[in-house]
Amino acid sequence: MDAGSAQAGEESSPGSEESSRGSEESSRGRAAGAETGEGPARAGAAGEGPAREEPGTERLEKAVRAAEHALIEYEIAVETFRVEVENFSRLHHQRLGPVYARLDELDAQIAEAVAARTGDPDDIRKADEKRGAVLPMPQVEELFFGWIDSSGMLPEAQAMLNEQPVSPPSRVRPSEEARKAYRDLVRKAHPDLTQDEAERERREAFLVRVNKAYADGDAAALAALAEEWEAGPLPEPLAELLRSEELYARLEWLAQRKEVLAQMAAELEESAIGAMLKLAPDDPDTLLEEIAEQLLGQVSERESELARLRES
């Protein structure tokens, strides 16, 4: 992930290094197995207790574990950045939408004042264009019961359709307490840490709740989920140990999953909001305040310009 992204950048680099080390160890493990002349080796599932000692599998098991943990760290980085992009978008619309609307109205009034003074057809055309950009489409709100306006679906409506809180978040980046609890929970409960299908489904359902609590910035809910996880059933070990061929397949799957996450990360970074967040990777909430100050300054300048035009 790009080092410039707010959260993904600072957390993905260690994962990338671990993944590289894992790939190197995988290659060495493959070579070691070939030199022994043994048949297919048997190894324990990653994270499921000690495996039976057989030539050529110890390094391969380590490579799988390293790749799994690297993937989880990268996924945490992508998800935390996605939450920040979404929160920034909603807060930007809530806090700055009225300011943008005020700027559009002032631009229209200035253009109309200029056109009234000059009578120039080109100035009149520009004034009409500015005014047309401000006026809402008639009766659109009534058609969709207030869920959509002339610029598209309202954030509150989008939140309801996506089963998110209707009220915008209080800040772009959740608190450090929530972020730490979230990372710890994902590292413990991630579905990729098990090969058992039933246990994987249980973990996936649990992480849906974890992701929602983090997106809400709800540290208390995350703490309750941490207690629930600690008190929950431990995954049972697999009945059979994984063969070395399956471990190689596991490494290939992890690499493919990393490619999917990398694509998601790239799309987030290339979005308009993602690009804005790169301007303030350490404190995106302050960036909103700075943008608001700049916009209010532009409003003041336009109000002064409009006053001069009307007085002259």
Side-chain angles (χ1 to χ4, degrees):
M1 190 172 204
D2 194 291
S5 63
Q7 182 66 20
E10 61 175 297
E11 292 188 20
S12 61
S13 294
S16 300
E17 293 176 2
E18 289 182 21
S19 181
S20 298
R21 289 198 296 270
S23 299
E24 294 173 2
E25 290 181 343
S26 170
S27 299
R28 290 197 294 270
R30 195 191 302 266
E35 291 172 359
T36 61
E38 301 285 353
R42 298 166 69 84
E48 300 289 355
R52 191 163 63 190
E53 294 291 336
E54 292 190 20
T57 60
E58 182 178 357
R59 288 183 176 177
L60 183 57
E61 292 166 11
K62 290 181 179 179
V64 169
R65 287 195 295 271
E68 287 175 339
H69 290 298
L71 179 67
I72 290 171
E73 292 300 314
Y74 190 63
E75 189 163 337
I76 289 172
V78 174
E79 177 62 17
T80 52
F81 187 59
R82 186 197 66 77
V83 167
E84 290 183 12
V85 168
E86 184 175 290
N87 287 351
F88 192 96
S89 178
R90 296 181 68 189
L91 286 171
H92 184 269
H93 186 279
Q94 178 207 34
R95 298 180 184 178
L96 305 183
V99 183
Y100 284 116
R102 176 61 177 160
L103 282 171
D104 289 342
E105 174 62 29
L106 287 169
D107 285 340
Q109 291 184 19
I110 289 172
E112 288 168 346
V114 170
R117 290 183 60 189
T118 64
D120 186 281
D122 191 47
D123 289 337
I124 295 174
R125 178 186 57 78
K126 291 178 182 178
D128 290 340
E129 290 177 353
K130 293 289 185 181
R131 178 53 61 190
V134 174
L135 291 175
M137 292 174 61
Q139 299 181 337
V140 169
E141 290 82 359
E142 288 80 358
L143 288 175
F144 291 89
F145 303 99
W147 279 42
I148 189 170
D149 62 13
S150 57
S151 63
M153 185 171 288
L154 297 173
E156 290 74 13
Q158 292 178 344
M160 292 179 69
L161 292 177
N162 294 325
E163 298 183 351
Q164 299 171 334
V166 175
S167 300
S170 59
R171 51 185 294 168
V172 175
R173 179 172 293 171
S175 67
E176 183 58 35
E177 178 186 4
R179 292 165 63 200
K180 182 180 185 303
Y182 171 74
R183 291 193 295 264
D184 290 344
L185 274 170
V186 174
R187 288 164 182 158
K188 292 176 181 177
H190 200 282
D192 288 347
L193 292 176
T194 182
Q195 299 289 304
D196 181 75
E197 188 60 30
E199 173 62 12
R200 182 178 180 85
E201 290 178 1
R202 183 180 82 91
R203 288 171 176 250
E204 288 175 345
F206 182 77
L207 276 194
V208 168
R209 298 162 61 199
V210 171
N211 287 337
K212 182 178 185 304
Y214 178 71
D216 295 344
D218 194 339
L222 288 168
L225 286 167
E227 293 180 4
E228 178 183 330
W229 178 258
E230 294 300 330
L234 295 175
E236 296 182 2
L238 297 180
E240 293 187 15
L241 300 177
L242 294 176
R243 295 183 180 276
S244 58
E245 287 85 353
E246 294 179 76
L247 290 174
Y248 289 128
R250 177 71 171 159
L251 284 174
E252 292 177 359
W253 182 89
L254 291 168
Q256 293 171 359
R257 175 61 180 162
K258 178 68 177 295
E259 291 180 2
V260 172
L261 288 173
Q263 179 61 34
M264 293 172 57
E267 292 175 358
L268 286 170
E269 291 176 350
E270 293 169 2
S271 67
I273 297 298
M276 292 178 69
L277 283 174
K278 288 182 181 181
L279 300 176
D282 297 327
D283 191 357
D285 288 280
T286 299
L287 177 60
L288 272 176
E289 298 174 3
E290 294 175 351
I291 294 174
E293 290 179 4
Q294 294 174 3
L295 291 176
L296 290 174
Q298 295 176 24
V299 167
S300 179
E301 292 174 358
R302 282 167 172 74
E303 288 176 340
S304 298
E305 181 180 356
L306 180 61
R308 286 195 300 270
L309 286 169
R310 287 176 173 175
E311 290 174 356
S312 58

